[in-house]
Amino acid sequence: FSVVEGMGMGARPTAGGVVLVWLVGVWVACFVSAFPEPVEPACRLVGSECVLSVDGFIGPPAPVERRSGGKYLVRLGVALMLTSKDGSPLPEWRRLVAASASLARKHINEGNLAIAGAAGDPLVARCAVNLSMVDTSGEATIGTEKALEMGLGDDPSTNPTKVDVVVGASRSTVSSPISLIGGVQNVPVISHASTSPTLQDKNTYPYFARTIPSDSITAKAAAFLCAHWEFRNIAVVYVDDMFGKGYASKFESFASGFGGAGVQILTAQPFTKGSSESISSAVQAADGFGARIIVVIVYMEDLALMLDAAEQAGMTGVRGYAWVAADLQSAPEWALDTSDPERYARLVGGWVYLKTLIPREKQVLFNEVKSLAPVQDVQSSVNPITAAEWQKGCETTQCAYIYDAVWAAATAVCNRAFAAGS
């Protein structure tokens, strides 16, 4: 497990890589990844032996309500972004993330501890999981509607199908209303992808947690790097939502602390998600202030529009500019799937992008165990992932984070049920 709030994966610092920053127990990699020293992979203890093989761990599937042995049922809702607002499909990595949540449910119900290790023993011995998945399209209004459909605002005495806990959402702007609604009836929300520092406010979001690190971590790393490289006059261009505002605010605060009077934020320009006109205006405004260093907070879905605007302004793919990008999970690989791979690879080439890492050994183990599960066991009505897609390695860390989130969420509810005997 990664610990909730993303801290600690059992790794130790090591040399290597272009830039590797250790902050609050989290590796933050900049452009060229470096891996921690090998750690013991997850295993199941059989006597005194650490057994890595999953053979023999597969048990009978669980029915919808209770399994034999009187196990408690955890009703778990998963809220993800699988399609755009107009209903068009999103990149396949989002389907891999959704399938990873279903894989966690499958492993819990089968007693498969190949990834979770001995820490998962109490859960699989006591509880089974019933998982329902909804598509929020990354929109707060749709997420709110889906939360109500899952019964988050209902009294459990009047709605026996109400979920006990929610995993998600994929974006902070959706996790916010879901967490507010869930808080009314004490329903926890554990996100694998919502990184806004605003969600850390326990007065507003008392039942919110996450397995992915907060943007406070990567914003601090970005500010540290700018100060280290003596980038003094910086423009911030950010998506105008909870994610973008939170990251921009933290970056400005940390930049001042690291660089002192020498670091100057020339301007901070918001833009509207999905609007090429708004993105272009923000980029041109940053250029108008004379900025040559641009810190950009943008979703992958808007990266092409951002690069188009930057090229039109003569600010990328040329000498004299540096771009530092927040949380672009797979920018180089992304370019290969665009309409013009050569052009976009050139435009994004040289960008510095930051993301958190998990140990390589755990990533390899996850993909090896994942490949053993038949695709039909991880498909759902909202996630018709294909066999070809499922057999691909999941390179985004969100697959591991959501797998952890399902185990963490189910464990928390299971522990309460077991303690209460109900």
Side-chain angles (χ1 to χ4, degrees), residues 362-379:
K362 291 186 181 291
Q363 189 82 11
V364 171
L365 173 67
F366 179 86
N367 282 321
E368 287 179 348
V369 176
K370 176 186 80 67
S371 66
L372 300 176
V375 68
Q376 60 267 26
D377 288 358
V378 297
Q379 290 174 326

Side-chain angles (χ1 to χ4, degrees), residues 257-297:
F258 278 125
V263 173
Q264 181 181 3
I265 306 297
L266 299 177
T267 183
Q269 294 290 330
F271 64 86
T272 302
K273 176 172 62 74
S275 170
S276 58
E277 182 179 351
S278 179
I279 292 173
S280 180
S281 295
V283 169
Q284 291 175 10
D287 191 40
F289 275 85
R292 295 296 178 265
I293 311 299
I294 299 91
V295 172
V296 59
I297 302 104

Side-chain angles (χ1 to χ4, degrees), residues 204-257:
T204 305
Y205 306 102
Y207 291 93
F208 177 82
R210 55 174 68 124
T211 52
I212 188 171
S214 162
D215 283 330
S216 296
I217 303 298
T218 49
K220 188 174 185 179
F224 172 83
L225 293 174
C226 287
H228 177 75
W229 289 329
E230 297 185 353
F231 289 167
R232 297 305 186 196
N233 298 305
I234 299 171
V236 180
V237 177
Y238 64 94
V239 59
D240 191 11
D241 67 0
M242 179 182 282
F243 162 58
K245 290 176 181 177
Y247 196 109
S249 175
K250 285 293 183 181
F251 173 79
E252 291 185 43
S253 174
F254 287 130
S256 175

Side-chain angles (χ1 to χ4, degrees), residues 128-162:
V129 172
N130 181 20
L131 186 149
S132 58
M133 188 176 295
V134 297
D135 178 14
T136 69
S137 298
E139 298 291 331
T141 52
I142 298 176
T144 301
E145 177 185 348
K146 298 299 182 181
L148 295 174
E149 289 179 4
M150 290 188 288
L152 261 67
D154 296 346
D155 187 321
S157 64
T158 60
N159 183 358
T161 63
K162 170 187 175 181

Side-chain angles (χ1 to χ4, degrees), residues 59-132:
V64 173
E65 289 301 325
R66 287 182 179 269
R67 298 201 297 182
S68 59
K71 294 188 177 183
Y72 298 104
L73 174 69
V74 177
R75 295 182 177 88
L76 192 149
V78 179
L80 299 176
M81 180 181 177
L82 291 167
T83 60
S84 62
K85 190 175 181 179
D86 62 7
S88 58
L90 292 174
E92 67 179 24
W93 69 265
R94 291 195 177 275
R95 293 186 286 281
L96 281 167
V97 171
S100 298
S102 298
L103 179 68
R105 181 262 305 150
K106 170 182 170 66
H107 284 174
I108 293 169
N109 290 344
E110 293 177 343
N112 185 337
L113 301 178
I115 295 175
D121 263 326
L123 172 60
V124 301
R126 298 168 177 170
C127 295
V129 172
N130 181 20
L131 186 149
S132 58

